[in-house]
Amino acid sequence: MTQPADSGRRPEALPLLRGQKALVTGANSGIGLATAIALGRAGADVVVNYVFGREAAEDVVSKIQSFGVRAFAHEADVSDEGQVVGMFARMLEEFGTIDVLVANAGLQRDAALTDMTVEEWHKVIDVNLTGQFLCAREAAKEFLRRGVVPEVSRSAGKIVCMSSVHQIIPWSGHANYAASKGGVLMLMQTLAQELGPHGIRVNAVAPGAIRTPINRSAWDTPEAEQNLLKLIPYRRVGDPDDIADAVTVLASDLMDYVVGTTIYVDGGMTLFPGFATGG
Ligand code: BGC
């Protein structure tokens, strides 16, 4: 990959996050990539976390730097406690603090229940759920230490958990993934309740079907895409920028009173579209 995907639909920098420091996990592809770029465009300095694919991560860094803000790539497996602690230590050393965590890194290891190995189960839970716990914990420590800096933001810190419509929609053949996202919902709500009194906002964005490498088989042939569109009342597969823009606004002070909520960005996938004609 030479150029990160970027629709350029926001040609000018929006100052929504000016002076803030953000960390995006899994930021060298798909939703994470678009989100890291959007936060940079909104004025934040950005840490681009990745686990494989250094070149793609460096492309994201260059794109973010072109907005006149700072960025660096940092390799770390979010499910490894030592690597997460090390990543936050480097961020605090280089940027001084953190204002926004986007806990995005996630993966799928799909299998029918009776074929699913315990390794496939653990891998998905470890990255999708334990990874969010570890990153949220380290971010919260710094938010609590620093408190509110009114010139920067009304809140002492923002955590945006990347969830999925599958935090509430059961998904046959994906028990590990659906369980991990159901866990993200309760993790997010519990952290929002626990950290709210300290001025920290925790929320989630739940994407529907977004055109990224994780679900390529669901949209890369016309037949697959037609099938997918039946599940989307708005009849369009989402773009990574749809999610990136929602995260940017949610992390900004425009949404300062939004606490412990999930914003579904799914073209209506959670509206039980089967009932448009049935029931
Ligand atoms: C999954 C995708 C899927 C989408 C809608 C996402 O969380 O990662 O593979 O297409 O949900 O079902």
Side-chain angles (χ1 to χ4, degrees):
M1 187 166 147
T2 49
Q3 281 297 311
D6 176 23
S7 72
R9 77 184 184 199
R10 286 259 170 86
E12 288 144 40
L14 293 175
L16 283 179
L17 298 174
R18 183 174 291 153
Q20 301 199 36
K21 321 291 178 197
L23 166 61
V24 183
T25 64
N28 64 342
S29 88
I31 288 170
L33 178 156
T35 300
I37 291 171
L39 299 184
R41 183 183 279 127
D45 295 334
V46 185
V47 179
V48 175
N49 161 258
Y50 69 100
V51 64
F52 301 115
R54 177 166 192 89
E55 206 183 313
E58 292 298 348
D59 283 346
V60 177
V61 166
S62 307
K63 178 75 188 174
I64 294 170
Q65 287 170 340
S66 75
F67 301 128
V69 295
R70 290 186 292 166
F72 66 85
H74 186 91
E75 180 187 327
D77 174 351
V78 295
S79 68
D80 181 307
E81 183 175 22
Q83 293 184 35
V84 170
V85 170
M87 175 167 69
F88 276 82
R90 180 174 172 206
M91 179 171 187
L92 299 196
E93 200 180 301
E94 298 209 14
F95 286 175
T97 193
I98 177 170
D99 302 285
V100 178
L101 165 67
V102 183
N104 166 78
L107 47 74
Q108 290 181 212
R109 293 285 183 273
D110 308 331
L113 177 65
T114 49
D115 296 329
M116 190 176 284
T117 64
V118 75
E119 289 75 25
E120 288 166 335
W121 172 265
H122 279 306
K123 183 73 183 170
V124 172
I125 300 293
D126 287 354
V127 173
N128 295 12
L129 185 55
T130 308
Q132 294 211 11
F133 153 70
L134 289 171
C135 291
R137 188 186 69 183
E138 295 312 302
K141 286 180 191 168
E142 170 60 10
F143 296 159
L144 292 168
R145 183 202 65 76
R146 191 205 55 228
V148 177
V149 181
E151 309 78 70
V152 174
S153 174
R154 293 180 73 179
S155 100
K158 281 85 56 162
I159 297 173
V160 179
C161 299
M162 196 56 68
S163 190
S164 163
V165 291
H166 298 296
Q167 69 172 9
I168 57 161
I169 301 180
W171 202 16
S172 301
H174 307 77
N176 47 3
Y177 185 82
S180 75
K181 295 301 185 178
V184 165
L185 170 61
M186 201 40 70
L187 174 68
M188 178 280 286
Q189 290 181 320
T190 298
L191 299 188
Q193 187 191 67
E194 186 170 332
L195 299 173
H198 302 280
I200 297 166
R201 292 196 299 119
V202 186
N203 291 285
V205 168
I210 307 301
R211 222 179 276 278
T212 72
I214 207 173
N215 61 355
R216 180 175 296 282
S217 64
W219 48 262
D220 71 349
T221 66
E223 301 76 45
E225 183 162 355
Q226 278 316 307
N227 266 333
L228 183 59
L229 290 176
K230 289 182 199 148
L231 298 175
I232 307 171
Y234 202 50
R235 297 286 186 266
R236 151 168 104 71
V237 177
D239 297 315
D241 281 350
D242 290 314
I243 307 303
D245 289 345
V247 172
T248 304
V249 179
L250 182 56
S252 79
D253 280 0
L254 287 179
M255 295 263 176
D256 187 59
Y257 207 51
V258 177
V259 174
T261 292
T262 298
I263 300 186
Y264 289 90
V265 185
D266 68 348
M269 195 173 234
T270 38
L271 297 173
F272 299 96
F275 281 79
T277 52

